[in-house]
């Protein structure tokens, strides 16, 4: 039996904080296309179940439109050979509940344990909230089945309960005959051992949308035969989000920085989403002058912003002062810097005071 485990699709996510209105609309369409591509993969590869572990929609601002819901319902109906098992997440809301013509092959959960059986493969799930935080104690699974359990939330590996909603207490799920714990909510892929029998898996989001969702995205394909599990990660994203760190220590010119960034970006395809983050300590050439004074960050932005679907530069490089340089300086500037150096402050605080107190020609 083949099953797809996916989560955190976030259809109709606005994505307007960094993208233009036009590109935001394009990305919304791409999320929908990406979901359809996964369904097409399932149809072509004899997948019997698509398990959606929460946040199919992004209902944070209640912006899910009827066209999107209609498209998903029609897509599910047109693939009647596949069961879509959908566990709502914290972003979903009641998106399907008002629909009258629900597809027969759409299966859902509620706030109590519910199971769907496919021979000896049983998929059990529950929607977590503050009212059923003790639900883990009531889970009862048969030893002889291959048991998949699905939930949406943040895992907690500690022994001390916090009694909050949407927390998955792994210790309370041990020794419950779980073979595969199919989770959603964390947008980066993660997995680990649950106990001697089972594992837990976050597949990550289906498509990266922001810089906290970097790397390859897709879904997990499960192949279960005679109680044995084979699983594969299937890349499915239209675009990949990259954050490239560039250490500027030792960089003394714009040309050197340009060459370094070019080498870092050379293997990244142009349809992707990229942030270059500048890091490292650099010695200021003059008090009051920042990195932008002699390394022109704006030029980096202009050079690449039309090369990729989206590009930005983030400056986290830290300016520092060479205290020895001003040890024998007899100017007002030297006197001030020596005075700051003697203070019982951290190095960061000393640098900040010197670099922000005086600017430009005030020292001259």
């Amino acid at each position: 039996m083949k099953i797809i485990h996916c989560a955190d699709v976030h259809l109709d996510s606005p994505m307007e904080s960094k993208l233009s209105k036009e590109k935001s609309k394009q990305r919304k369409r791409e999320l929908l296309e990406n979901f359809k591509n996964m369904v097409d993969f399932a149809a072509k590869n004899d997948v019997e179940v698509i398990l959606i572990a929460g946040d199919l929609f992004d209902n944070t601002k209640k912006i899910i439109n009827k066209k999107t819901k209609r498209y998903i319902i029609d897509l599910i109906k047109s693939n009647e050979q596949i069961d879509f098992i959908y566990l709502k997440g914290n972003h979903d809301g009641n998106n399907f509940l008002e629909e009258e013509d629900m597809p027969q092959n759409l299966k859902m959960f509620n706030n109590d344990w519910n199971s769907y059986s496919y021979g000896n493969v049983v998929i059990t799930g529950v929607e977590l909230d503050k009212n059923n935080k003790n639900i883990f104690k009531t889970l009862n699974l048969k030893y002889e089945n291959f048991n998949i359990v699905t939930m949406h939330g943040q895992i907690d590996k500690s022994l001390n309960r916090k009694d909050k909603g949407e927390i998955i207490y792994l210790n309370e799920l041990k020794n419950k005959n779980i073979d595969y714990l199919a989770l959603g909510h964390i947008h980066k892929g993660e997995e680990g051992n649950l106990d001697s029998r089972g594992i837990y898996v976050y597949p990550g989001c289906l498509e990266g949308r922001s810089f906290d969702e970097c790397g390859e995205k897709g879904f997990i394909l499960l192949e279960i035969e005679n109680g044995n599990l084979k699983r594969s990660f299937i890349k499915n994203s239209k675009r990949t989000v990259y954050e490239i760190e560039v250490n500027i220590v030792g960089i003394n010119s714009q040309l050197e920085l340009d060459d370094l960034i070019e080498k870092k970006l050379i293997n990244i395809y142009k349809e992707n989403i990229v942030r270059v983050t500048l890091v490292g300590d650099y010695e200021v050439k003059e008090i009051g002058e920042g990195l932008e004074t002699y390394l022109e960050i704006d030029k980096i932005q202009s050079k690449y912003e039309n090369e990729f679907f989206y590009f930005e530069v983030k400056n986290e490089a830290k300016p520092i002062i060479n205290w020895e340089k001003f040890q024998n300086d007899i100017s007002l500037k030297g006197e001030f810097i020596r005075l700051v150096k003697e203070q019982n402050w951290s190095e960061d605080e000393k640098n900040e005071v010197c670099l922000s107190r005086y600017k430009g020609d005030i020292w001259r």
Side-chain angles (χ1 to χ4, degrees):
M1 179 179 185
K2 294 180 182 179
I3 298 172
I4 281 177
H5 169 208
C6 69
D8 301 288
V9 186
H10 288 276
L11 297 176
D12 270 352
S13 176
M15 295 180 287
E16 293 175 345
S17 61
K18 293 183 179 293
L19 298 178
S20 66
K21 189 174 181 180
E22 181 180 340
K23 284 191 172 182
S24 174
K25 287 182 178 179
Q26 181 177 347
R27 289 296 283 147
K28 284 185 181 182
R29 290 194 299 270
E30 289 173 356
L31 292 185
L32 209 54
E33 290 167 4
N34 190 20
F35 184 78
K36 184 180 184 300
N37 289 341
M38 181 186 69
V39 175
D40 289 345
F41 174 94
K44 292 174 184 177
N45 290 275
D46 300 319
V47 171
E48 294 181 45
V49 172
I50 294 178
L51 175 59
I52 306 165
D55 289 352
L56 174 60
F57 297 96
D58 194 314
N59 200 32
T60 307
K61 297 182 179 179
K62 301 187 184 302
I63 54 173
I64 305 301
N65 62 59
K66 291 184 178 180
K67 287 183 179 179
T68 301
K69 287 191 288 185
R70 188 73 257 164
Y71 182 89
I72 293 298
I73 288 174
D74 290 343
L75 182 62
I76 293 172
K77 283 184 174 182
S78 65
N79 288 273
E80 58 183 11
Q81 78 282 12
I82 301 171
D83 273 1
F84 290 75
I85 300 183
Y86 170 32
L87 177 91
K88 289 189 299 177
N90 57 303
H91 285 268
D92 278 311
N94 295 323
N95 294 298
F96 278 134
L97 297 186
E98 72 278 14
E99 301 296 336
E100 296 180 358
D101 57 341
M102 294 287 286
Q104 294 297 311
N105 57 327
L106 174 63
K107 318 291 184 182
M108 298 185 71
F109 296 97
N110 52 40
N111 61 358
D112 203 354
W113 294 112
N114 191 19
S115 297
Y116 299 99
S117 298
Y118 301 85
N120 70 330
V121 176
V122 180
I123 301 173
T124 302
V126 65
E127 295 174 4
L128 298 175
D129 58 42
K130 61 182 179 180
N131 298 316
N132 66 353
K133 57 192 177 185
N134 294 315
I135 195 74
F136 305 94
K137 298 177 181 178
T138 64
L139 179 62
N140 185 19
L141 303 172
K142 292 182 179 180
Y143 174 85
E144 61 270 21
N145 289 331
F146 187 94
N147 293 304
I148 298 174
V149 173
T150 185
M151 287 180 279
H152 185 90
Q154 173 71 53
I155 60 171
D156 188 328
K157 301 178 184 179
S158 69
L159 297 175
N160 299 319
R161 245 185 179 276
K162 298 173 185 175
D163 286 335
K164 296 180 179 178
E166 297 177 353
I167 299 294
I168 299 166
Y169 300 100
L170 286 189
N171 281 297
E172 297 184 23
L173 293 171
K174 291 182 177 181
N175 304 315
K176 294 275 191 178
N177 297 322
I178 298 173
D179 294 284
Y180 185 90
L181 184 56
L183 302 177
H185 187 58
I186 303 301
H187 292 188
K188 182 179 180 181
E190 181 182 337
E191 61 182 61
N193 292 322
L194 175 62
D195 53 27
S196 59
R197 172 167 172 166
I199 59 174
Y200 68 88
V201 176
Y202 285 102
C205 54
L206 202 57
E207 174 97 15
R209 297 169 297 143
S210 59
F211 290 107
D212 58 352
E213 299 174 354
C214 292
E216 291 189 345
K217 302 297 178 185
F219 55 85
I220 305 295
L221 175 64
L222 308 178
E223 298 178 74
I224 304 162
E225 186 174 356
N226 298 324
N228 297 314
L229 172 65
K230 176 185 175 183
R231 57 195 171 94
S232 312
F233 173 78
I234 309 296
K235 185 179 182 298
N236 192 57
S237 54
K238 169 73 174 179
R239 305 182 193 278
T240 303
V241 180
Y242 292 90
E243 182 162 21
I244 307 299
E245 190 173 280
V246 176
N247 194 320
I248 68 160
V249 172
I251 297 294
N252 295 304
S253 70
Q254 184 70 34
L255 183 60
E256 289 181 18
L257 182 59
D258 287 345
D259 288 344
L260 181 58
I261 292 174
E262 187 74 30
K263 289 176 183 176
K264 293 272 189 177
L265 299 179
I266 194 167
N267 292 319
I268 298 179
Y269 293 116
K270 304 307 180 183
E271 70 269 16
N272 291 316
I273 297 166
V274 180
R275 170 193 280 166
V276 167
T277 300
L278 303 178
V279 299
D281 298 343
Y282 65 95
E283 181 182 338
V284 293
K285 293 187 175 182
E286 179 58 78
I287 302 302
E289 293 183 352
L291 177 66
E292 295 84 352
T293 308
Y294 63 103
L295 298 179
E296 300 174 89
I297 295 175
D298 288 347
K299 285 189 176 179
I300 302 171
Q301 180 69 40
S302 346
K303 179 178 180 180
Y304 291 106
E305 63 187 0
N306 294 320
E307 295 269 331
F308 297 96
F309 183 80
Y310 176 82
F311 178 85
E312 70 177 34
V313 182
K314 184 178 182 182
N315 179 19
E316 291 187 348
K318 186 173 69 175
I320 58 172
I321 292 172
N322 184 344
W323 302 104
E324 293 182 2
K325 179 179 177 181
F326 299 97
Q327 189 65 36
N328 300 312
D329 193 311
I330 59 173
S331 66
L332 175 61
K333 174 171 57 178
E335 184 65 28
F336 178 78
I337 290 175
R338 287 191 293 273
L339 178 64
V340 170
K341 185 177 184 297
E342 293 171 2
Q343 304 305 307
N344 188 25
W345 302 334
S346 69
E347 287 298 308
D348 285 346
E349 289 172 324
K350 292 177 184 179
N351 274 290
E352 185 178 351
V353 168
C354 288
L355 293 168
S356 62
R357 176 64 181 85
Y358 291 97
K359 296 183 182 296
D361 291 339
I362 194 168
W363 293 114
R364 299 176 188 271

